[in-house]
Amino acid sequence: RSFRRGSVAALVNIFALALGLTAFVIAYGVVSYWNRSEQYFPNADRTYVVTAAFLGRDGQNRATPLPATNRLYADYLRADFPEFEAVARAQVMYNATGVTAGDIYKEMFVVGAESEFLKIFDLPFVAGDSTALSQPNSAVVTEEAAQRLFGNANPIGKTITLASVLDVTVTGVVAPVPEPSHLGHAKTDSLPFDVLASWDTLEGVQAAARARTAKNDPAAAARNQPPPNAPPPPENWLGGYCCTTYVMLSRDSHLTTQTLNERLKAFGEKHIPLAQQEIMKLLIGAVPIRNLTTAQLNQQLLSGAPISITTLLLALGTLVLVVACVNYANLATAQAARRAREVGLRKALGANRTRVMLQYLAESAVLTGAAALLSLLAVRLVIPVLRNAVGMDLDLSLFDSTGFWLFLAALLAAVTLLGGAYPAFVLSRVTPVEALRAGRSRTGSRFAGTILVGLQFAAASFLLIVVLVMYAQNNELQRTGLGSTTDPLVVISNAPQFSEVDNDLLRTELTR
């Protein structure tokens, strides 16, 4: 009867609560998804990625730590840290490397990795094992890559050619790495791969390309050769950052994240040459592999900010939900004056304050339950959109998780209390004599009502400003060239040492 008398207010409350719950649940699902990163790998809890940041001697231009190193780090880490059970480097060869198998040519994501990489990460092998990268010029391919290159034939032992210059042997096949993982194929993953090649192939491809260049243009090759008997260049700790360096602590190690970072800071001060120290201060650290995705997002989106991306998402989701709860409290408080006679009659017939409060909290719970059903339907519709857009499957952290349903039950109880407690408290204080005499009674503090309305409009205005600013920024980015464009220019890149197509010939043929 209550909802029928105030059907418009009830519908507004259900819609607003559903919107708030949807925003919060999606934010919670995204954060939970990131927090589950690398859970497939049994060694994840003792695996770290080495980071580096630079600080100018004048105190300016400090960079957020990046999960990148040069090739010097790994050898020195192995020598200086007996607590490390394994150290491995991985480096992207090219984002789109030509991979050939017989007459089949495909462009794939190729990563070179040291053999200990497979000791740190227990990949889901369907053929081969963790020793697959121990032989020179060997490679592990994904099931999808094997299907594209060899069809239904067994790829083990077959040869593929990387960048049209180097032959390698397939020694393993792996199933897709379970998400969420930085080795997966979501858009937020930092090291996806179709082909995981042995570490020597990185130099092998470059050497083969140089040899092809020398054959085709001996004069240019001779000009690029260093002088005979030239001393080796000094170690450069400030440049050549190309790799991701992983370290895995031994099981009996007592190093914590804090102590490891302290040791790595001293490690950098020990090894960087004095001349380079005078130019730039190198800050070496480590981030747990489980936090790698969020650390990279923080660096990309919130560089230098005192807040993390997970905290920001939850804060925004919470703000939307609080606005919805305050909206419910405002509408319910405004309706309380019209329900004063009803409350007065109930109290005259013997109802106490507790029973009156329970009635209106029950109404709040029913509204919240209806909003929750609408919200779950909306979330279910949003999940495929997110999966297609960024590769995140929130089913893993929401509907397929027992913890989510327990959390949702606690959340609905909190929303019921947050939205319904104040109106229930106001109505329970109505005195029967005043309510039955006038039919209407003053309910609640005017100051409290003013504060609630002010908070609701302040929070809603803040969210609206954020959305408008983001919309304007996106429009500006599209206008300045990062979005769709009608520019008729097409850039064609060609590396003759790999393609064996001369640039002049390419231009002539395109012109023709």
Side-chain angles (χ1 to χ4, degrees):
R1 289 196 302 271
S2 171
F3 296 158
R4 188 165 58 248
R5 286 197 303 267
S7 57
V8 174
L11 290 175
V12 168
N13 279 326
I14 290 175
F15 177 78
L17 286 174
L19 186 62
L21 285 169
T22 300
F24 185 83
V25 167
I26 290 176
Y28 168 85
V30 170
V31 172
S32 298
Y33 180 87
W34 286 334
N35 288 339
R36 294 161 62 95
S37 291
E38 319 302 337
Q39 66 174 358
Y40 172 80
F41 300 111
N43 298 324
D45 290 333
R46 53 194 182 105
T47 300
Y48 292 80
V49 174
V50 180
T51 64
F54 301 98
L55 179 62
R57 284 301 174 182
D58 57 358
Q60 301 298 318
N61 301 324
R62 178 167 184 168
T64 303
L66 293 172
T69 67
N70 59 28
R71 295 194 172 198
L72 295 171
Y73 283 66
D75 293 334
Y76 285 102
L77 287 169
R78 292 186 180 100
D80 288 13
F81 286 85
E83 299 93 341
F84 292 164
E85 182 178 326
V87 178
R89 293 169 291 188
Q91 178 179 337
V92 176
M93 185 174 293
Y94 299 103
N95 288 352
T97 303
V99 180
T100 307
D103 296 330
I104 305 297
Y105 174 89
K106 300 293 182 181
E107 289 193 348
M108 296 183 173
F109 207 114
V110 180
V111 172
E114 293 183 291
S115 59
E116 287 192 319
F117 182 90
L118 296 181
K119 181 178 181 181
I120 297 174
F121 297 104
D122 185 14
L123 297 180
F125 278 93
V126 296
D129 54 33
S130 59
T131 64
L133 297 181
S134 58
Q135 298 298 321
N137 293 338
S138 55
V140 173
V141 299
T142 63
E143 283 184 308
E144 180 185 0
Q147 177 68 32
R148 292 170 63 191
L149 293 171
F150 301 104
N152 295 324
N154 182 11
I156 298 298
K158 289 186 169 58
T159 298
I160 59 176
T161 304
L162 303 181
S164 302
V165 296
L166 183 68
D167 292 338
V168 299
T169 303
V170 177
T171 54
V173 180
V174 294
V177 176
E179 297 282 6
S181 170
H182 76 294
L183 301 177
H185 277 77
K187 290 187 178 180
T188 54
D189 297 339
S190 59
L191 198 71
F193 65 88
D194 299 301
V195 178
L196 188 66
S198 56
W199 184 251
D200 60 292
T201 59
L202 293 168
E203 179 57 33
V205 166
Q206 295 299 326
R210 288 193 295 268
R212 177 176 287 177
T213 301
K215 179 181 178 181
N216 296 333
D217 191 352
R223 288 193 300 269
N224 294 328
Q225 289 295 324
N229 302 321
E235 291 182 346
N236 182 9
W237 285 77
L238 301 181
Y241 280 70
C242 59
C243 319
T244 304
T245 300
Y246 303 90
V247 297
M248 184 173 71
L249 303 180
S250 58
R251 296 187 184 277
D252 58 353
S253 172
H254 297 293
L255 283 177
T256 63
T257 301
Q258 180 179 355
T259 56
L260 176 58
N261 276 283
E262 292 172 354
R263 290 273 302 276
L264 287 172
K265 180 182 178 181
F267 167 83
E269 295 171 349
K270 171 184 175 182
H271 289 290
I272 184 172
L274 182 60
Q276 296 176 30
Q277 290 187 33
E278 294 174 351
I279 301 172
M280 193 80 68
K281 184 176 182 181
L282 176 61
L283 306 173
I284 302 177
V287 59
I289 191 65
R290 287 185 179 275
N291 300 339
L292 178 61
T293 298
T294 52
Q296 290 179 311
L297 289 171
N298 288 336
Q299 191 279 327
Q300 294 167 4
L301 304 176
L302 301 171
S303 180
I307 189 173
S308 68
I309 186 67
T310 54
T311 303
L312 179 62
L313 276 177
L314 287 177
L316 290 174
T318 301
L319 185 58
V320 176
L321 182 57
V322 168
V323 170
C325 292
V326 173
N327 174 76
Y328 175 82
N330 283 333
L331 286 176
T333 303
Q335 289 180 304
R338 293 188 298 173
R339 304 184 67 175
R341 176 172 291 179
E342 170 192 337
V343 175
L345 184 58
R346 288 196 63 203
K347 282 193 169 184
L349 294 176
N352 55 29
R353 290 186 60 184
T354 300
R355 288 180 176 272
V356 173
M357 290 186 69
L358 286 177
Q359 174 188 345
Y360 293 103
L361 285 175
E363 289 184 11
S364 176
V366 171
L367 279 174
T368 303
L373 293 176
L374 187 60
S375 171
L376 291 176
L377 176 61
V379 171
R380 174 57 72 184
L381 295 176
V382 168
I383 284 178
V385 177
L386 281 176
R387 186 187 300 119
N388 294 332
V390 295
M392 296 176 60
D393 187 2
L394 296 191
D395 272 329
L396 298 175
S397 55
L398 294 179
F399 297 105
D400 295 344
S401 170
T402 303
F404 165 71
W405 295 108
L406 296 176
F407 171 79
L408 182 62
L411 176 65
L412 296 182
V415 169
T416 298
L417 291 174
L418 186 60
Y422 179 70
F425 174 75
V426 168
L427 283 168
S428 70
R429 296 182 61 191
V430 172
T431 56
V433 173
E434 291 184 3
L436 294 175
R437 181 175 57 201
R440 296 177 68 89
S441 176
R442 179 180 172 182
T443 54
S445 167
R446 291 180 179 177
F447 177 75
T450 302
I451 290 295
L452 286 175
V453 173
L455 286 175
Q456 178 183 351
F457 277 85
S461 299
F462 169 76
L463 290 170
L464 183 60
I465 291 170
V466 170
V467 170
L468 290 175
V469 169
M470 292 176 62
Y471 178 77
Q473 287 179 328
N474 285 334
N475 282 344
E476 180 65 13
L477 287 173
Q478 290 182 355
R479 189 187 68 80
T480 55
L482 295 183
S484 58
T485 176
T486 57
D487 190 339
L489 297 181
V490 176
V491 177
I492 300 177
S493 60
N494 176 52
Q497 65 271 34
F498 298 118
S499 67
E500 290 192 291
V501 177
D502 180 74
N503 280 321
D504 291 335
L505 174 62
L506 175 61
R507 180 181 180 182
T508 300
E509 289 300 307
L510 288 173
T511 303
R512 184 175 64 85

